[in-house]
Amino acid sequence: GGPRGGGGGLVGNVSASAKEGGDSVFSMTSAKRRKVRDEALAGVAIPDGDGDDSAAHGAWAPPRAPTPVVARDDLSAAQKEYIEWHASRREANLRSRGKLKDEAEGSLVDAAVGVTKGQKETEKSLADAAVATSVFHGDSQTNYAGESWITAPKDRKKQNDTCYAPKRLVHTWLGHTKGVQAIRFFPKHGHLILSAGLDSTIKIWDVHTHGKCLRDYTAHQKALKDITFWNDGTRFVSTGWDKKVMLWDTETGRVISTVSSGSVANCVKSHPDDGQQNILLAGQTDKKIMQYDWNVGDVVQEYDQHLGAVNSLTFVDEGRRFVSTSDDKSIRVWEFGIPVTMKYIADPTMHSAPAVGLSPTGNWLACQSMDNRITIYSTKDKFRCNGKKVFKGHANAGYACQVGFSPDGKFLYSGDGDGKVFFWDWKTTRIVKSLKAHDKVTIGCEWHPLEQSKVATCSWDGTIKYWD
Protein backbone atom coordinates (compact mmCIF):
# COMPACT_ATOMS: atom_id res chain seq x y z
CA GLY A 1 0.00 0.00 0.00
CA GLY A 2 0.54 3.63 0.27
CA PRO A 3 1.10 6.19 -2.39
CA ARG A 4 3.78 5.61 -4.93
CA GLY A 5 6.31 8.13 -5.96
CA GLY A 6 9.33 9.38 -4.06
CA GLY A 7 10.63 5.77 -3.74
CA GLY A 8 10.36 5.77 0.05
CA GLY A 9 8.08 2.71 0.35
CA LEU A 10 9.02 -0.76 1.58
CA VAL A 11 8.59 -4.05 -0.21
CA GLY A 12 8.64 -7.22 1.85
CA ASN A 13 8.47 -8.02 5.56
CA VAL A 14 8.10 -4.69 7.35
CA SER A 15 8.28 -6.10 10.90
CA ALA A 16 11.50 -8.05 10.16
CA SER A 17 13.01 -4.90 8.70
CA ALA A 18 12.09 -2.98 11.84
CA LYS A 19 13.62 -5.75 13.98
CA GLU A 20 16.88 -5.58 12.03
CA GLY A 21 16.94 -1.77 12.44
CA GLY A 22 16.36 -1.13 8.78
CA ASP A 23 19.48 -3.11 7.74
CA SER A 24 19.18 -4.81 4.39
CA VAL A 25 21.38 -7.45 2.79
CA PHE A 26 23.11 -4.68 0.90
CA SER A 27 23.84 -2.37 3.79
CA MET A 28 24.77 -4.78 6.65
CA THR A 29 28.35 -5.59 7.54
CA SER A 30 29.85 -8.86 6.35
CA ALA A 31 30.11 -10.18 9.92
CA LYS A 32 26.45 -9.55 10.52
CA ARG A 33 25.60 -11.07 7.14
CA ARG A 34 27.43 -14.28 8.12
CA LYS A 35 25.66 -14.36 11.48
CA VAL A 36 22.22 -13.95 9.93
CA ARG A 37 22.98 -16.62 7.35
CA ASP A 38 24.21 -19.08 10.00
CA GLU A 39 21.10 -18.50 12.11
CA ALA A 40 18.86 -19.05 9.10
CA LEU A 41 20.71 -22.25 8.14
CA ALA A 42 20.66 -23.54 11.71
CA GLY A 43 16.94 -22.87 11.90
CA VAL A 44 16.33 -24.81 8.70
CA ALA A 45 18.72 -27.69 9.53
CA ILE A 46 17.45 -28.30 13.04
CA PRO A 47 13.92 -27.19 13.68
CA ASP A 48 13.47 -25.75 17.15
CA GLY A 49 11.80 -27.74 19.83
CA ASP A 50 13.15 -31.27 19.15
CA GLY A 51 13.77 -31.51 22.86
CA ASP A 52 17.50 -32.35 22.58
CA ASP A 53 20.40 -29.91 22.48
CA SER A 54 21.42 -30.93 18.98
CA ALA A 55 20.77 -27.37 17.86
CA ALA A 56 23.73 -26.25 19.96
CA HIS A 57 26.08 -29.01 18.79
CA GLY A 58 25.03 -29.97 15.28
CA ALA A 59 26.97 -29.34 12.09
CA TRP A 60 25.10 -26.08 11.52
CA ALA A 61 25.18 -24.96 15.12
CA PRO A 62 26.16 -21.35 15.72
CA PRO A 63 29.78 -20.84 16.81
CA ARG A 64 30.39 -21.24 20.56
CA ALA A 65 32.82 -19.55 22.91
CA PRO A 66 36.11 -21.53 22.99
CA THR A 67 36.38 -24.02 25.89
CA PRO A 68 39.06 -23.08 28.44
CA VAL A 69 42.36 -25.01 28.15
CA VAL A 70 42.93 -27.51 30.96
CA ALA A 71 45.74 -26.32 33.22
CA ARG A 72 48.48 -28.83 34.15
CA ASP A 73 47.64 -28.54 37.82
CA ASP A 74 44.05 -29.70 37.15
CA LEU A 75 45.16 -33.01 35.64
CA SER A 76 44.76 -36.18 37.67
CA ALA A 77 47.85 -38.26 38.55
CA ALA A 78 46.87 -40.90 35.99
CA GLN A 79 46.58 -38.26 33.25
CA LYS A 80 49.97 -36.79 34.12
CA GLU A 81 51.51 -40.26 34.08
CA TYR A 82 49.99 -40.91 30.66
CA ILE A 83 51.36 -37.64 29.28
CA GLU A 84 54.84 -38.51 30.57
CA TRP A 85 54.65 -42.04 29.17
CA HIS A 86 53.47 -40.77 25.79
CA ALA A 87 56.23 -38.13 25.62
CA SER A 88 58.96 -40.60 26.57
CA ARG A 89 57.75 -43.00 23.87
CA ARG A 90 57.72 -40.22 21.32
CA GLU A 91 61.20 -39.13 22.34
CA ALA A 92 62.59 -42.67 22.15
CA ASN A 93 61.03 -43.05 18.71
CA LEU A 94 62.48 -39.78 17.40
CA ARG A 95 65.87 -40.52 18.97
CA SER A 96 66.04 -43.94 17.31
CA ARG A 97 65.51 -42.18 13.97
CA GLY A 98 68.30 -39.75 14.78
CA LYS A 99 66.03 -36.71 15.01
CA LEU A 100 67.00 -35.42 18.46
CA LYS A 101 70.78 -35.41 18.33
CA ASP A 102 71.14 -31.91 19.80
CA GLU A 103 68.44 -32.23 22.46
CA ALA A 104 69.29 -33.30 26.00
CA GLU A 105 68.03 -36.70 27.15
CA GLY A 106 64.47 -36.36 28.49
CA SER A 107 63.91 -32.87 27.08
CA LEU A 108 60.64 -33.79 25.34
CA VAL A 109 59.33 -35.44 28.49
CA ASP A 110 60.21 -32.37 30.54
CA ALA A 111 58.48 -30.11 28.03
CA ALA A 112 55.36 -32.28 28.10
CA VAL A 113 55.26 -32.48 31.88
CA GLY A 114 56.10 -28.79 32.15
CA VAL A 115 59.36 -28.95 34.09
CA THR A 116 61.85 -26.19 33.32
CA LYS A 117 65.57 -26.86 33.30
CA GLY A 118 66.15 -24.74 36.39
CA GLN A 119 63.42 -26.56 38.33
CA LYS A 120 64.91 -29.87 37.29
CA GLU A 121 68.44 -28.94 38.36
CA THR A 122 67.19 -27.67 41.71
CA GLU A 123 65.10 -30.79 42.30
CA LYS A 124 68.06 -32.95 41.30
CA SER A 125 70.56 -31.22 43.58
CA LEU A 126 68.06 -31.24 46.45
CA ALA A 127 67.40 -34.94 45.91
CA ASP A 128 71.15 -35.68 45.81
CA ALA A 129 71.78 -33.65 48.94
CA ALA A 130 68.94 -35.39 50.74
CA VAL A 131 70.12 -38.83 49.65
CA ALA A 132 73.87 -38.38 50.24
CA THR A 133 74.81 -39.78 53.63
CA SER A 134 78.13 -40.81 55.06
CA VAL A 135 78.87 -42.51 58.37
CA PHE A 136 82.27 -42.50 60.07
CA HIS A 137 83.02 -45.80 61.84
CA GLY A 138 86.50 -45.07 63.23
CA ASP A 139 87.32 -44.15 66.82
CA SER A 140 88.12 -40.51 66.14
CA GLN A 141 88.33 -38.31 63.05
CA THR A 142 91.77 -37.00 64.04
CA ASN A 143 94.90 -38.77 65.23
CA TYR A 144 96.97 -37.88 68.32
CA ALA A 145 98.59 -34.97 66.44
CA GLY A 146 95.23 -33.53 65.43
CA GLU A 147 95.63 -34.53 61.78
CA SER A 148 92.77 -35.86 59.67
CA TRP A 149 92.12 -39.61 59.67
CA ILE A 150 93.07 -39.83 55.99
CA THR A 151 96.62 -38.53 56.65
CA ALA A 152 99.20 -41.13 55.69
CA PRO A 153 101.32 -42.56 58.54
CA LYS A 154 104.83 -41.09 58.57
CA ASP A 155 106.64 -44.36 59.30
CA ARG A 156 105.57 -46.18 56.13
CA LYS A 157 108.40 -46.14 53.60
CA LYS A 158 109.25 -48.29 50.65
CA GLN A 159 111.49 -51.09 51.95
CA ASN A 160 113.17 -52.05 48.70
CA ASP A 161 112.48 -51.97 45.00
CA THR A 162 111.88 -55.64 44.16
CA CYS A 163 108.39 -57.08 44.20
CA TYR A 164 107.43 -60.68 44.95
CA ALA A 165 104.29 -62.62 44.10
CA PRO A 166 102.10 -63.04 47.20
CA LYS A 167 101.53 -66.52 48.67
CA ARG A 168 99.01 -66.40 51.53
CA LEU A 169 95.86 -64.65 52.68
CA VAL A 170 96.48 -62.13 55.47
CA HIS A 171 93.15 -60.31 55.83
CA THR A 172 89.55 -60.30 54.55
CA TRP A 173 87.39 -57.20 54.56
CA LEU A 174 83.68 -58.02 54.90
CA GLY A 175 80.86 -55.50 54.87
CA HIS A 176 79.40 -55.15 51.38
CA THR A 177 76.04 -56.92 51.15
CA LYS A 178 76.49 -57.64 47.42
CA GLY A 179 79.51 -58.02 45.16
CA VAL A 180 82.42 -55.58 45.09
CA GLN A 181 82.99 -54.06 41.66
CA ALA A 182 86.24 -52.13 42.14
CA ILE A 183 88.94 -51.36 44.71
CA ARG A 184 91.53 -48.56 44.80
CA PHE A 185 94.42 -48.09 47.21
CA PHE A 186 94.96 -44.59 48.61
CA PRO A 187 97.43 -42.95 46.16
CA LYS A 188 101.18 -43.22 46.93
CA HIS A 189 100.69 -44.55 50.49
CA GLY A 190 98.11 -47.32 50.37
CA HIS A 191 97.20 -47.02 54.05
CA LEU A 192 93.49 -46.99 53.09
CA ILE A 193 91.57 -48.91 50.45
CA LEU A 194 88.38 -47.67 48.80
CA SER A 195 85.79 -50.14 47.51
CA ALA A 196 82.75 -49.70 45.25
CA GLY A 197 79.95 -52.20 45.82
CA LEU A 198 77.04 -53.50 43.78
CA ASP A 199 74.97 -52.66 46.88
CA SER A 200 75.32 -48.99 45.76
CA THR A 201 77.60 -48.05 48.68
CA ILE A 202 81.25 -47.03 48.72
CA LYS A 203 83.37 -47.96 51.74
CA ILE A 204 86.89 -47.03 52.80
CA TRP A 205 88.86 -49.51 54.91
CA ASP A 206 91.95 -49.36 57.06
CA VAL A 207 94.81 -51.44 55.62
CA HIS A 208 97.65 -51.46 58.15
CA THR A 209 96.30 -51.51 61.70
CA HIS A 210 92.87 -52.85 62.65
CA GLY A 211 91.56 -53.47 59.10
CA LYS A 212 88.05 -52.16 59.79
CA CYS A 213 85.71 -50.03 57.70
CA LEU A 214 86.35 -46.35 58.44
CA ARG A 215 83.63 -44.64 56.43
CA ASP A 216 80.57 -45.38 54.26
CA TYR A 217 79.57 -43.15 51.38
CA THR A 218 75.95 -43.54 50.23
CA ALA A 219 74.32 -41.45 47.51
CA HIS A 220 74.08 -43.62 44.41
CA GLN A 221 70.71 -45.23 43.89
CA LYS A 222 72.02 -48.18 41.91
CA ALA A 223 75.09 -50.41 41.77
CA LEU A 224 78.46 -48.75 41.22
CA LYS A 225 80.57 -49.14 38.09
CA ASP A 226 83.90 -47.47 38.84
CA ILE A 227 85.79 -45.27 41.30
CA THR A 228 88.98 -43.27 41.03
CA PHE A 229 90.99 -41.17 43.51
CA TRP A 230 92.43 -37.74 42.89
CA ASN A 231 96.23 -37.79 43.06
CA ASP A 232 96.34 -36.54 46.65
CA GLY A 233 93.56 -38.85 47.83
CA THR A 234 91.51 -36.02 49.39
CA ARG A 235 88.73 -36.54 46.87
CA PHE A 236 87.46 -39.34 44.71
CA VAL A 237 85.01 -39.80 41.85
CA SER A 238 82.37 -42.52 41.58
CA THR A 239 80.04 -43.60 38.79
CA GLY A 240 77.05 -45.92 38.93
CA TRP A 241 74.19 -47.46 36.99
CA ASP A 242 72.01 -44.51 38.10
CA LYS A 243 73.80 -42.48 35.37
CA LYS A 244 75.35 -40.13 37.91
CA VAL A 245 79.02 -39.24 38.32
CA MET A 246 79.81 -37.88 41.78
CA LEU A 247 82.78 -36.08 43.28
CA TRP A 248 83.26 -36.87 46.99
CA ASP A 249 85.29 -35.42 49.81
CA THR A 250 87.15 -38.46 51.19
CA GLU A 251 87.48 -37.07 54.69
CA THR A 252 83.97 -35.73 55.38
CA GLY A 253 81.97 -37.93 53.02
CA ARG A 254 80.28 -34.92 51.43
CA VAL A 255 79.16 -34.99 47.80
CA ILE A 256 80.93 -31.95 46.35
CA SER A 257 79.36 -32.15 42.92
CA THR A 258 77.19 -34.39 40.77
CA VAL A 259 77.14 -34.48 36.97
CA SER A 260 75.18 -36.60 34.53
CA SER A 261 74.79 -36.70 30.78
CA GLY A 262 71.84 -39.07 30.77
CA SER A 263 73.90 -42.19 30.09
CA VAL A 264 75.74 -44.70 32.27
CA ALA A 265 79.48 -44.01 32.59
CA ASN A 266 81.35 -47.34 32.54
CA CYS A 267 84.68 -45.89 33.61
CA VAL A 268 86.01 -42.64 35.05
CA LYS A 269 89.59 -41.34 35.01
CA SER A 270 90.99 -38.13 36.47
CA HIS A 271 93.78 -36.35 34.62
CA PRO A 272 97.17 -37.59 35.92
CA ASP A 273 98.65 -34.10 36.20
CA ASP A 274 98.50 -32.67 39.75
CA GLY A 275 97.45 -29.28 38.42
CA GLN A 276 94.53 -30.68 36.41
CA GLN A 277 92.75 -32.86 38.94
CA ASN A 278 89.51 -31.03 38.18
CA ILE A 279 89.45 -32.65 34.72
CA LEU A 280 87.63 -35.98 34.48
CA LEU A 281 87.07 -38.32 31.55
CA ALA A 282 84.03 -40.62 31.61
CA GLY A 283 83.57 -43.42 29.05
CA GLN A 284 79.87 -44.04 28.50
CA THR A 285 77.55 -46.77 27.27
CA ASP A 286 76.23 -44.38 24.58
CA LYS A 287 79.63 -44.64 22.78
CA LYS A 288 80.80 -41.19 23.89
CA ILE A 289 83.68 -40.10 26.09
CA MET A 290 82.75 -37.03 28.11
CA GLN A 291 85.31 -34.63 29.51
CA TYR A 292 84.02 -32.88 32.63
CA ASP A 293 85.53 -29.97 34.48
CA TRP A 294 84.55 -30.02 38.17
CA ASN A 295 85.23 -26.28 38.42
CA VAL A 296 82.58 -25.68 35.77
CA GLY A 297 80.42 -28.62 36.83
CA ASP A 298 79.63 -29.60 33.26
CA VAL A 299 80.86 -31.23 30.06
CA VAL A 300 83.65 -29.24 28.42
CA GLN A 301 84.53 -31.66 25.60
CA GLU A 302 82.97 -34.67 23.92
CA TYR A 303 84.86 -37.45 22.13
CA ASP A 304 82.39 -39.23 19.90
CA GLN A 305 83.92 -41.72 17.47
CA HIS A 306 83.51 -45.17 19.00
CA LEU A 307 80.87 -47.51 17.61
CA GLY A 308 80.18 -49.30 20.89
CA ALA A 309 80.07 -48.66 24.63
CA VAL A 310 83.38 -47.30 25.94
CA ASN A 311 84.90 -49.66 28.52
CA SER A 312 88.24 -48.25 29.61
CA LEU A 313 90.27 -45.05 29.54
CA THR A 314 94.01 -44.83 30.15
CA PHE A 315 96.16 -41.70 30.11
CA VAL A 316 99.58 -42.10 28.48
CA ASP A 317 102.47 -39.81 27.58
CA GLU A 318 102.21 -37.75 30.81
CA GLY A 319 98.55 -36.99 30.23
CA ARG A 320 99.01 -35.56 26.75
CA ARG A 321 97.15 -38.48 25.20
CA PHE A 322 94.72 -41.12 26.31
CA VAL A 323 93.70 -44.54 25.05
CA SER A 324 90.13 -45.80 25.01
CA THR A 325 88.80 -49.31 24.39
CA SER A 326 85.26 -50.17 23.48
CA ASP A 327 82.75 -52.92 22.72
CA ASP A 328 83.39 -52.20 19.03
CA LYS A 329 86.64 -54.26 19.51
CA SER A 330 88.84 -51.31 18.62
CA ILE A 331 91.40 -49.27 20.52
CA ARG A 332 91.54 -45.55 19.87
CA VAL A 333 94.25 -43.10 20.84
CA TRP A 334 93.31 -39.45 21.32
CA GLU A 335 95.23 -36.24 21.85
CA PHE A 336 93.89 -34.89 25.13
CA GLY A 337 91.35 -32.14 24.43
CA ILE A 338 91.03 -32.84 20.70
CA PRO A 339 87.97 -34.92 19.77
CA VAL A 340 89.51 -36.60 16.72
CA THR A 341 91.06 -40.07 16.85
CA MET A 342 94.82 -39.81 16.52
CA LYS A 343 95.36 -43.54 16.04
CA TYR A 344 92.80 -46.25 15.40
CA ILE A 345 93.79 -49.83 16.19
CA ALA A 346 91.45 -52.49 14.85
CA ASP A 347 92.07 -55.89 13.40
CA PRO A 348 89.71 -58.73 12.47
CA THR A 349 91.50 -61.01 14.93
CA MET A 350 91.14 -58.59 17.85
CA HIS A 351 88.66 -59.12 20.66
CA SER A 352 87.21 -56.37 22.81
CA ALA A 353 89.45 -55.30 25.71
CA PRO A 354 87.28 -54.15 28.62
CA ALA A 355 90.19 -53.62 31.02
CA VAL A 356 93.58 -52.02 30.42
CA GLY A 357 96.60 -51.58 32.70
CA LEU A 358 99.53 -49.22 32.21
CA SER A 359 103.07 -50.30 33.10
CA PRO A 360 104.94 -48.28 35.80
CA THR A 361 107.29 -46.85 33.16
CA GLY A 362 104.32 -45.85 31.02
CA ASN A 363 105.74 -47.67 27.99
CA TRP A 364 103.32 -50.60 27.77
CA LEU A 365 99.58 -51.12 27.83
CA ALA A 366 98.26 -54.52 28.92
CA CYS A 367 94.84 -55.17 27.40
CA GLN A 368 92.58 -57.88 28.83
CA SER A 369 91.45 -59.54 25.62
CA MET A 370 88.16 -61.48 25.61
CA ASP A 371 89.79 -64.60 24.15
CA ASN A 372 91.45 -65.42 27.51
CA ARG A 373 94.67 -63.61 26.72
CA ILE A 374 96.38 -60.39 27.71
CA THR A 375 97.86 -58.54 24.75
CA ILE A 376 100.54 -55.86 25.05
CA TYR A 377 100.71 -52.59 23.12
CA SER A 378 103.55 -50.10 23.11
CA THR A 379 102.65 -46.51 24.03
CA LYS A 380 105.75 -45.07 22.38
CA ASP A 381 106.36 -46.78 19.07
CA LYS A 382 103.18 -46.02 17.10
CA PHE A 383 101.10 -48.10 19.52
CA ARG A 384 102.20 -51.35 17.94
CA CYS A 385 101.06 -54.68 19.33
CA ASN A 386 103.95 -56.60 20.86
CA GLY A 387 103.46 -60.04 19.31
CA LYS A 388 106.15 -61.67 21.47
CA LYS A 389 104.42 -60.86 24.74
CA VAL A 390 101.09 -62.63 25.11
CA PHE A 391 99.99 -63.73 28.56
CA LYS A 392 97.55 -66.62 28.84
CA GLY A 393 96.38 -69.33 31.21
CA HIS A 394 93.52 -67.51 32.91
CA ALA A 395 89.82 -67.72 31.98
CA ASN A 396 88.56 -64.15 31.87
CA ALA A 397 86.16 -64.32 28.91
CA GLY A 398 82.98 -62.39 29.61
CA TYR A 399 84.36 -60.42 32.56
CA ALA A 400 86.20 -57.11 32.69
CA CYS A 401 88.81 -58.43 35.14
CA GLN A 402 91.25 -55.73 36.15
CA VAL A 403 94.78 -56.19 34.85
CA GLY A 404 97.89 -54.44 36.14
CA PHE A 405 101.63 -54.37 36.76
CA SER A 406 103.58 -54.67 39.98
CA PRO A 407 105.18 -51.33 41.00
CA ASP A 408 108.60 -52.48 39.73
CA GLY A 409 107.18 -53.77 36.44
CA LYS A 410 108.45 -57.34 37.01
CA PHE A 411 105.03 -58.96 37.26
CA LEU A 412 101.76 -58.72 35.41
CA TYR A 413 98.65 -59.70 37.36
CA SER A 414 94.98 -60.29 36.60
CA GLY A 415 91.87 -61.82 38.10
CA ASP A 416 89.85 -64.44 36.28
CA GLY A 417 86.27 -65.66 35.94
CA ASP A 418 86.73 -68.61 38.31
CA GLY A 419 87.86 -66.50 41.26
CA LYS A 420 91.60 -66.98 40.76
CA VAL A 421 94.42 -64.43 40.61
CA PHE A 422 97.32 -64.98 38.23
CA PHE A 423 100.84 -63.55 38.32
CA TRP A 424 103.04 -63.70 35.23
CA ASP A 425 106.70 -62.92 34.86
CA TRP A 426 106.95 -59.90 32.53
CA LYS A 427 110.20 -61.03 30.87
CA THR A 428 109.34 -64.69 30.20
CA THR A 429 105.50 -64.37 30.05
CA ARG A 430 105.26 -67.52 32.21
CA ILE A 431 102.80 -67.91 35.09
CA VAL A 432 104.73 -67.44 38.33
CA LYS A 433 101.83 -67.99 40.71
CA SER A 434 98.09 -68.47 40.75
CA LEU A 435 95.91 -68.26 43.85
CA LYS A 436 92.32 -69.41 44.31
CA ALA A 437 91.13 -66.16 45.83
CA HIS A 438 87.33 -66.04 45.65
CA ASP A 439 84.17 -68.06 45.07
CA LYS A 440 83.04 -65.87 42.19
CA VAL A 441 84.87 -63.82 39.54
CA THR A 442 87.88 -61.86 40.80
CA ILE A 443 86.86 -58.60 39.14
CA GLY A 444 89.46 -56.28 40.65
CA CYS A 445 93.00 -56.55 42.00
CA GLU A 446 95.46 -53.86 43.05
CA TRP A 447 99.11 -54.10 44.03
CA HIS A 448 100.01 -52.14 47.15
CA PRO A 449 101.94 -48.99 46.13
CA LEU A 450 104.56 -49.32 48.92
CA GLU A 451 104.68 -52.89 50.21
CA GLN A 452 106.42 -55.13 47.73
CA SER A 453 104.45 -58.36 47.94
CA LYS A 454 100.98 -57.27 49.06
CA VAL A 455 98.02 -57.46 46.71
CA ALA A 456 94.32 -56.79 47.35
CA THR A 457 91.60 -58.56 45.36
CA CYS A 458 87.85 -58.02 45.23
CA SER A 459 85.07 -60.16 43.88
CA TRP A 460 81.35 -60.38 43.20
CA ASP A 461 81.16 -62.73 46.20
CA GLY A 462 81.19 -59.54 48.32
CA THR A 463 84.64 -59.91 49.87
CA ILE A 464 87.89 -57.97 49.57
CA LYS A 465 91.00 -59.99 50.38
CA TYR A 466 94.56 -58.97 51.16
CA TRP A 467 97.41 -61.25 50.13
CA ASP A 468 101.05 -61.30 51.09
Side-chain angles (χ1 to χ4, degrees):
R4 300 176 183 217
L10 290 169
V11 178
N13 191 333
V14 181
S15 60
S17 167
K19 191 176 133 197
E20 295 296 340
D23 256 351
S24 73
V25 179
F26 307 104
S27 59
M28 65 171 68
T29 61
S30 57
K32 188 169 179 188
R33 192 182 307 128
R34 275 199 301 276
K35 185 175 170 227
V36 170
R37 193 193 70 178
D38 287 350
E39 280 171 2
L41 283 169
V44 174
I46 308 155
D48 290 339
D50 277 7
D52 57 1
D53 59 350
S54 49
H57 295 288
W60 296 104
R64 297 185 300 278
T67 48
V69 178
V70 179
R72 266 200 188 94
D73 305 336
D74 302 340
L75 293 175
S76 70
Q79 285 169 319
K80 281 182 184 159
E81 200 177 315
Y82 173 75
I83 287 174
E84 196 169 333
W85 171 81
H86 188 272
S88 63
R89 266 193 59 171
R90 180 158 172 262
E91 179 169 341
N93 189 358
L94 288 170
R95 230 174 247 293
S96 66
R97 304 203 319 251
K99 290 273 169 60
L100 294 177
K101 284 201 181 71
D102 307 331
E103 300 288 329
E105 194 94 11
S107 53
L108 254 70
V109 181
D110 293 344
V113 183
V115 180
T116 63
K117 196 173 178 204
Q119 272 174 307
K120 200 170 181 192
E121 306 265 310
T122 322
E123 277 173 30
K124 198 175 97 181
S125 54
L126 283 171
D128 288 345
V131 166
T133 55
S134 180
V135 184
F136 184 71
H137 299 293
D139 299 330
S140 99
Q141 303 220 16
T142 53
N143 63 7
Y144 65 92
E147 295 168 322
S148 158
W149 61 273
I150 64 167
T151 313
K154 306 276 186 293
D155 56 343
R156 296 274 167 188
K157 299 277 186 293
K158 209 168 192 175
Q159 265 78 39
N160 56 12
D161 288 336
T162 27
C163 292
Y164 307 96
K167 301 180 180 62
R168 63 194 178 87
L169 178 66
V170 287
H171 186 69
T172 306
W173 289 286
L174 296 165
H176 282 288
T177 54
K178 293 183 183 166
V180 182
Q181 176 67 23
I183 47 173
R184 300 285 178 264
F185 274 114
F186 194 90
K188 301 185 189 68
H189 303 288
H191 61 296
L192 301 168
I193 187 167
L194 189 71
S195 63
L198 300 176
D199 54 2
S200 71
T201 59
I202 304 165
K203 292 177 185 287
I204 195 161
W205 314 77
D206 175 81
V207 173
H208 292 317
T209 49
H210 50 73
K212 292 194 175 76
C213 177
L214 287 173
R215 202 181 249 292
D216 288 350
Y217 306 89
T218 330
H220 284 283
Q221 265 110 51
K222 293 188 180 164
L224 280 123
K225 290 286 288 178
D226 195 16
I227 41 173
T228 182
F229 267 116
W230 279 24
N231 285 357
D232 56 2
T234 54
R235 297 183 176 181
F236 66 88
V237 179
S238 66
T239 168
W241 284 100
D242 56 1
K243 302 181 183 175
K244 291 192 179 91
V245 178
M246 295 186 183
L247 176 67
W248 299 80
D249 186 312
T250 314
E251 185 185 347
T252 60
R254 193 168 62 86
V255 175
I256 297 165
S257 180
T258 305
V259 289
S260 173
S261 67
S263 178
V264 177
N266 284 331
C267 49
V268 282
K269 267 283 188 310
S270 292
H271 196 282
D273 181 47
D274 286 340
Q276 296 196 54
Q277 291 296 289
N278 54 310
I279 300 292
L280 177 88
L281 289 182
Q284 303 189 152
T285 48
D286 66 354
K287 314 173 197 173
K288 292 184 182 138
I289 301 164
M290 293 294 189
Q291 182 179 320
Y292 293 101
D293 185 339
W294 290 115
N295 298 347
V296 181
D298 207 356
V299 178
V300 288
Q301 182 62 278
E302 204 175 283
Y303 306 84
D304 184 9
Q305 304 230 320
H306 272 295
L307 308 173
V310 181
N311 290 326
S312 83
L313 296 165
T314 315
F315 278 99
V316 295
D317 197 13
E318 296 168 2
R320 285 192 284 271
R321 299 176 179 162
F322 65 92
V323 179
S324 61
T325 66
S326 155
D327 282 349
D328 62 13
K329 301 187 171 70
S330 74
I331 299 173
R332 286 174 192 264
V333 185
W334 314 75
E335 291 276 355
F336 177 71
I338 301 170
V340 182
T341 306
M342 188 189 101
K343 170 103 180 149
Y344 170 67
I345 306 164
D347 181 283
T349 62
M350 268 169 67
H351 288 252
S352 76
V356 175
L358 184 67
S359 71
T361 56
N363 293 343
W364 303 102
L365 285 173
C367 300
Q368 185 77 272
S369 177
M370 283 284 102
D371 55 352
N372 294 334
R373 302 189 309 162
I374 295 172
T375 50
I376 305 295
Y377 289 86
S378 152
T379 62
K380 295 275 183 283
D381 178 29
K382 294 186 177 167
F383 288 89
R384 286 208 179 94
C385 179
N386 186 336
K388 293 197 185 74
K389 288 206 187 299
V390 175
F391 298 85
K392 23 181 200 258
H394 63 318
N396 67 305
Y399 297 103
C401 299
Q402 188 181 342
V403 56
F405 290 84
S406 61
D408 65 351
K410 261 175 59 176
F411 296 108
L412 184 73
Y413 62 85
S414 161
D416 99 331
D418 301 330
K420 294 195 180 88
V421 192
F422 285 82
F423 298 91
W424 291 268
D425 186 307
W426 169 251
K427 284 205 171 74
T428 63
T429 72
R430 288 206 187 97
I431 294 176
V432 184
K433 185 115 195 114
S434 75
L435 302 164
K436 173 75 173 126
H438 296 276
D439 302 333
K440 290 187 182 165
V441 53
T442 307
I443 197 78
C445 39
E446 287 260 307
W447 205 293
H448 194 286
L450 286 184
E451 301 197 7
Q452 279 64 42
S453 63
K454 299 234 172 110
V455 174
T457 60
C458 72
S459 163
W460 287 356
D461 64 6
T463 59
I464 306 161
K465 293 186 178 177
Y466 197 32
W467 306 83
D468 182 9

